[in-house]
Amino acid sequence: MASEKDTSPSGANSLWGGRFEAGPAEIMEKINASIDFDKILYGQDIQGSKAHCQMLIKQEIISAEDGEKILVGLDQVKEEIEAGNFTYDTALEDIHMHVESRLTEIIGDAAGRLHTARSRNDQVATDFKLWVRDASDQMDQALCGLQNALVTKAEQNAHVILPGFTHLQSAQPITFGHHLLAYFEMFTRDRDRLRDARERLNECPLGAAALAGTSFPIDRFQTAKSLNFRAPTANSLDSVSDRDFALEFLSVASICATHVSRLAEEIVIWSSAQFNFINLSDKFTTGSSIMPQKRNPDAAELCRAKAGRIIGALTSLLIVMKGLPLAYSKDMQEDKEATFDAANAFALCIAAMTGMVGDMTVNERAMKASTQNGFITATDLADWLVRVLGMPFRNAHHVTGSLVALAEKKGCDLDGLTLDEMQTVEAKITQDVFSVLTVESSVASRISFGGTAPEQVLAQVKAAKSRIK
């Protein structure tokens, strides 16, 4: 078990050394302690400590006998924490002191040799980097699952037609598969950003000590390799004061959460009675306490809201870091809690969104019916005037606008106008124009690379599957 609060006459924390004669005031103890949230780092802390110990042994900075005691003791500490047989005490401030204190109880004075040639400054930077690296890998895996769900649903709906919107106004007909693949592209870029950030963070701070390095003959390259880092960090000052890796992680999470939020907003809209494009099952909806007919898309709404929480974590850490001189300042203790919270919120959002994409059923008839509003094939008409009659596009745009106005007055869509009516605006229009005024012909014609034509969507699905791999 971890030691109880120091009851020595001075009340001082023995791990602080002899510099302080009196113990901290209660409020100082509370504001200074981070154990309530950084205990999540126990695995990374013990992993880093073992790598450091092994390096100390190899460099003959500590004896093999003491080193072996330390390694065995660290394993025991980890087992106690994972078994729930570990006592936490705010007097010990953080996870580093808790591990060292308990190690001392287990193996005695040899535990004190573990902190040779390191500081809590490089120790916490290493622990936090290891955690962010692990979280990045988990995030990447979760996004892969979401991409697979989107691609599967897109393939199933490659021929389903619905309105494409700009300004939330009907613009042109598209396929639902094409719409879903737009989000696949967003999450692909998110994964690219994540892997790029992971590569950049993959340098080991351990051995930078407090800020200036150490006089002991350590081998930082061995430590870095042992922890699967690409290399040790190059500057000891930067090593202990860098939190770019956390900022980049939160930045990627914020951008990705924004993409999740946009998809969540569309799910909310699509599942409304006014649109009725999709249905979600009871797994991802809730009822109303007073209105029995309601099926509320709460999971989507919460995904939409949690984007603010994640973006807030990024903003918070940016503000913490913006005015700090080199090297370490206690302000940086505020780096972890918001990052942990954001990572948890993000993981929940991705899992919920993956579930909703797989769960949604598509109302093809409602989607198709919605294309009858808003003169959605007007662009196809303008393109026909250019392609068949040889009009400059600006002239074709003007003619099409006049035909839309005529249809509005008549109360019909463009294909509801007669040929004679169309020829009152442009005499050269022929019966062939009606071949481009159906939504089916419109989407089928969009065969440019990345377009919405079903054949293009299926080609994009095939490419997407290989890109996920």
Side-chain angles (χ1 to χ4, degrees):
M1 303 290 286
S3 62
E4 297 299 319
K5 186 174 179 179
D6 188 359
T7 55
S8 64
S10 68
N13 187 323
S14 61
L15 293 179
W16 279 2
R19 169 66 179 82
F20 298 93
E21 295 181 358
E26 182 180 357
I27 191 66
M28 178 58 190
E29 183 176 299
K30 287 183 177 179
I31 197 173
N32 197 46
S34 59
I35 189 58
D36 286 346
F37 54 85
D38 72 14
K39 60 187 176 184
I40 195 174
L41 296 173
Y42 78 89
Q44 289 81 11
D45 192 73
I46 291 172
Q47 181 185 4
S49 291
K50 291 180 72 173
H52 184 67
C53 179
Q54 288 162 347
M55 181 276 295
L56 293 176
I57 295 170
K58 185 177 179 183
Q59 295 300 107
E60 299 183 349
I61 297 171
I62 65 174
S63 68
E65 181 181 0
D66 283 344
E68 185 59 31
K69 289 180 182 177
I70 291 169
L71 294 171
V72 171
L74 287 170
D75 284 338
Q76 182 176 332
V77 174
K78 185 178 182 182
E79 289 171 6
E80 290 177 1
I81 293 173
E82 292 179 343
N85 300 323
F86 195 88
T87 300
Y88 296 99
D89 181 357
T90 56
L92 290 172
E93 294 186 30
D94 54 37
I95 189 61
H96 324 298
M97 283 184 153
H98 275 79
V99 170
E100 186 174 337
S101 176
R102 180 62 184 134
L103 183 64
T104 301
E105 292 177 349
I106 295 170
I107 68 170
D109 290 344
R113 300 191 184 281
L114 175 60
H115 209 55
T116 306
R118 76 174 183 184
S119 162
R120 279 194 296 174
N121 294 355
D122 61 336
Q123 189 178 358
V124 68
T126 303
D127 292 358
F128 196 23
K129 268 197 174 184
L130 288 169
W131 188 92
V132 170
R133 191 175 70 181
D134 291 342
S136 298
D137 292 341
Q138 292 164 13
M139 184 189 295
D140 185 68
Q141 196 77 14
L143 285 172
C144 180
L146 177 53
Q147 285 185 308
N148 276 312
L150 286 165
V151 169
T152 298
K153 193 67 69 172
E155 187 171 25
Q156 294 168 356
N157 293 276
H159 295 81
V160 174
I161 299 173
L162 77 162
F165 298 100
T166 60
H167 308 279
L168 204 56
Q169 305 294 313
S170 293
Q172 293 179 258
I174 60 169
T175 53
F176 191 48
H178 188 59
H179 196 121
L180 293 174
L181 288 177
Y183 285 99
F184 171 85
E185 295 298 331
M186 295 181 207
F187 295 125
T188 296
R189 294 192 298 273
D190 292 328
R191 292 184 70 193
D192 287 345
R193 275 184 283 268
L194 187 63
R195 287 192 289 267
D196 183 56
R198 189 197 188 281
E199 175 65 16
R200 196 159 26 254
L201 75 77
N202 203 27
E203 295 181 348
C204 183
L206 203 57
L211 77 163
T214 177
S215 59
F216 290 95
I218 62 173
D219 184 349
R220 293 190 62 208
F221 288 89
Q222 178 193 330
T223 309
K225 183 177 180 181
S226 180
L227 294 171
N228 294 315
F229 283 107
R230 183 179 69 251
T233 49
N235 181 281
S236 60
L237 282 169
D238 179 58
S239 300
V240 299
S241 59
D242 162 44
R243 291 300 182 270
D244 291 4
F245 62 92
L247 288 169
E248 285 201 88
F249 174 79
L250 291 173
S251 178
V252 173
S254 295
I255 295 170
C256 190
T258 301
H259 294 152
V260 171
S261 182
R262 294 181 73 179
L263 179 53
E265 169 69 3
E266 299 214 270
I267 288 174
V268 171
I269 293 171
W270 292 338
S271 62
S272 68
Q274 289 72 21
F275 275 74
N276 193 29
F277 284 2
I278 65 164
N279 291 304
L280 293 173
S281 75
D282 293 346
K283 294 177 182 178
F284 295 98
T285 58
T286 64
S288 165
S289 63
I290 191 172
M291 295 169 284
Q293 84 282 9
K294 293 293 292 299
R295 185 192 289 272
N296 299 323
D298 283 7
E301 291 171 351
L302 288 166
C303 285
R304 186 175 59 186
K306 286 185 184 297
R309 187 170 187 158
I310 295 165
I311 294 166
L314 171 61
T315 303
S316 174
L317 185 53
L318 284 167
I319 293 170
V320 166
M321 298 300 298
K322 72 175 181 62
L324 298 185
L326 295 178
Y328 181 85
S329 296
K330 194 69 170 182
D331 311 50
M332 292 164 69
Q333 185 167 288
E334 292 295 315
D335 58 357
K336 286 174 283 298
E337 194 168 11
T339 304
F340 296 158
D341 180 76
N344 288 335
F346 184 83
L348 192 57
C349 282
I350 297 300
M353 185 54 71
T354 303
M356 282 187 284
V357 170
D359 180 73
M360 70 170 67
T361 56
V362 177
N363 188 342
E364 185 175 348
R365 183 176 298 177
M367 287 186 176
K368 176 73 176 297
S370 188
T371 64
Q372 302 308 306
N373 303 316
F375 309 102
I376 201 165
T377 57
T379 303
D380 298 275
L381 173 55
D383 288 347
W384 182 90
L385 293 170
V386 172
R387 187 172 58 252
V388 177
L389 301 187
M391 279 189 187
F393 183 80
R394 286 302 171 199
N395 293 2
H397 187 282
H398 178 77
V399 170
T400 301
S402 299
L403 289 169
V404 167
L406 185 61
E408 274 185 320
K409 288 178 182 178
K410 187 178 178 181
C412 66
D413 208 341
L414 286 169
D415 59 359
L417 294 172
T418 66
L419 179 59
D420 288 342
E421 287 170 329
M422 288 190 180
Q423 287 175 341
T424 63
V425 176
E426 172 50 60
K428 295 180 180 179
I429 294 176
T430 67
Q431 188 69 31
D432 180 62
V433 74
F434 292 98
S435 68
V436 300
L437 295 183
T438 66
V439 292
E440 290 84 0
S441 63
S442 176
V443 297
S445 71
R446 306 294 168 178
I447 57 173
S448 57
F449 179 80
T452 194
E455 64 183 81
Q456 271 295 315
V457 173
L458 292 174
Q460 293 161 20
V461 164
K462 183 177 179 180
K465 289 178 179 179
S466 65
R467 289 165 65 193
I468 292 173
K469 293 177 183 178

